[in-house]
Amino acid sequence: MRSPVAPRSLHALVSLFYPATCVVCSENVERSQYLCDGCRSRAPRIVPPFCAKCSEPFPGAITQTFSCANCAHRVLHFDCAVAAYRSRGVVRRLVHQFKYSGERYLRFPIADWLSETMRDPRLSGGRFDAIVPVPLHPARERERGFNQATLLAERLGDSTGLSLYPALERIHYTTTQTVHDRAERMENLRGAFRLRKNRDVRDLRVLLIDDVLTTGSTLSECARVLKEAGAVSVHAATAARA
Ligand SMILES: [Zn+2]
Ligand SMILES: [Zn+2]
């Protein structure tokens, strides 16, 4: 059921009369904060060692001969995919609520998690020409009312000064990804994206944005299309990874 007042304005309105509260546990917080210290500290941060390509964390130390199970035996077309948090616990819960309950104000704390990727050496040294959000199929976007990747990319654009360039469109309404294994996901996504009309990514260094990386197949397929259209590099950043 849709509330007659958009959640964001409702949240803003409520915050005029009541103290600001944590979006997870309702504890009072500073007005500029969305999470209390306790909930923020429970967000599962990804710490080394992890895969340089897809950020998959490994238990223990990396030996000389390690290989990432997620990257093995396939080509991932992005240069690397960076996430600062795992999609678990409070992170998973908020992202889920953001996407499926239409609580748009949750883009603020989630974009904060996304923006932490910009301090990762794999991204902080790079210069980017454009931020490209992973598109939703228009039917899915209508149903949801927004594209979560676009809302997060807008916030990242504001904080980095990089311009948003929605260069891609999704042309296949694929079934829910979670039922497929890795190989099926790759196959399922083939041809799902294309460059939008009158968009030009030639010679651009692209920062590709999505909310969550699950296996990396979606980001890889977007990167493949962008590179085929002439992008010189495609680095991906997500608020979280599985
Ligand atoms: Zn809290
Ligand atoms: Zn990997």
Side-chain angles (χ1 to χ4, degrees):
M1 193 184 75
R2 272 175 199 276
S3 126
V5 183
R8 178 172 58 125
S9 38
L10 182 63
H11 188 79
L13 191 67
V14 167
S15 70
L16 286 176
F17 302 104
Y18 297 97
T21 55
C22 173
V23 295
V24 177
C25 73
S26 304
E27 176 117 345
N28 289 356
V29 292
E30 298 279 328
R31 224 166 251 295
S32 60
Q33 301 295 316
Y34 288 86
L35 290 170
C36 71
D37 291 343
C39 289
R40 190 179 303 110
S41 72
R42 277 192 290 279
R45 193 81 165 78
I46 292 175
V47 291
F50 50 75
C51 173
K53 178 85 175 177
C54 79
S55 303
E56 168 102 336
F58 301 107
I62 292 179
T63 63
Q64 214 63 29
T65 54
F66 97 93
S67 66
C68 169
N70 185 50
C71 285
H73 312 301
R74 64 172 177 158
V75 179
L76 291 170
H77 294 278
F78 46 74
D79 293 76
C80 66
V82 181
Y85 291 91
R86 300 219 78 171
S87 178
R88 290 179 181 171
V90 55
V91 173
R92 188 182 156 87
R93 184 172 147 194
L94 279 203
V95 170
H96 202 268
Q97 224 176 308
F98 172 47
K99 275 159 77 167
Y100 303 114
S101 308
E103 295 175 28
R104 292 182 194 214
Y105 67 90
L106 291 175
R107 71 187 181 281
F108 296 112
I110 295 166
D112 285 348
W113 289 327
L114 172 65
S115 69
E116 285 186 47
T117 61
M118 299 308 287
R119 291 203 290 269
D120 186 290
R122 290 171 292 170
L123 299 185
S124 63
R127 290 206 182 83
F128 301 105
D129 302 301
I131 299 183
V132 175
V134 169
L136 286 181
H137 188 276
R140 176 73 51 85
E141 187 164 340
R142 266 197 304 278
E143 177 192 327
R144 187 167 295 171
F146 59 92
N147 174 0
Q148 70 277 3
T150 303
L151 294 187
L152 297 176
E154 279 170 3
R155 295 285 302 163
L156 193 67
D158 289 345
S159 63
T160 58
L162 293 167
S163 47
L164 191 69
Y165 191 58
L168 295 173
E169 64 183 347
R170 187 161 189 150
I171 49 179
H172 291 170
Y173 192 101
T174 48
T175 49
T176 305
Q177 285 270 304
T178 42
V179 301
H180 298 282
D181 70 16
R182 202 182 68 179
E184 285 174 328
R185 287 174 79 114
M186 297 283 265
E187 197 45 51
N188 197 34
L189 280 165
R190 189 105 195 148
F193 301 97
R194 71 175 176 208
L195 203 66
R196 283 169 69 172
K197 232 182 187 159
N198 303 320
R199 302 286 158 152
D200 187 355
V201 296
R202 278 174 294 177
D203 302 324
L204 295 189
R205 293 158 299 183
V206 170
L207 183 60
L208 182 64
I209 300 299
D210 207 357
D211 53 342
V212 176
L213 176 152
T214 306
T215 65
S217 299
T218 299
L219 292 166
S220 177
E221 186 56 19
C222 288
R224 191 183 66 75
V225 172
L226 290 164
K227 285 186 171 175
E228 221 171 75
V232 284
S233 64
V234 178
H235 291 72
T238 59
R241 98 181 293 302

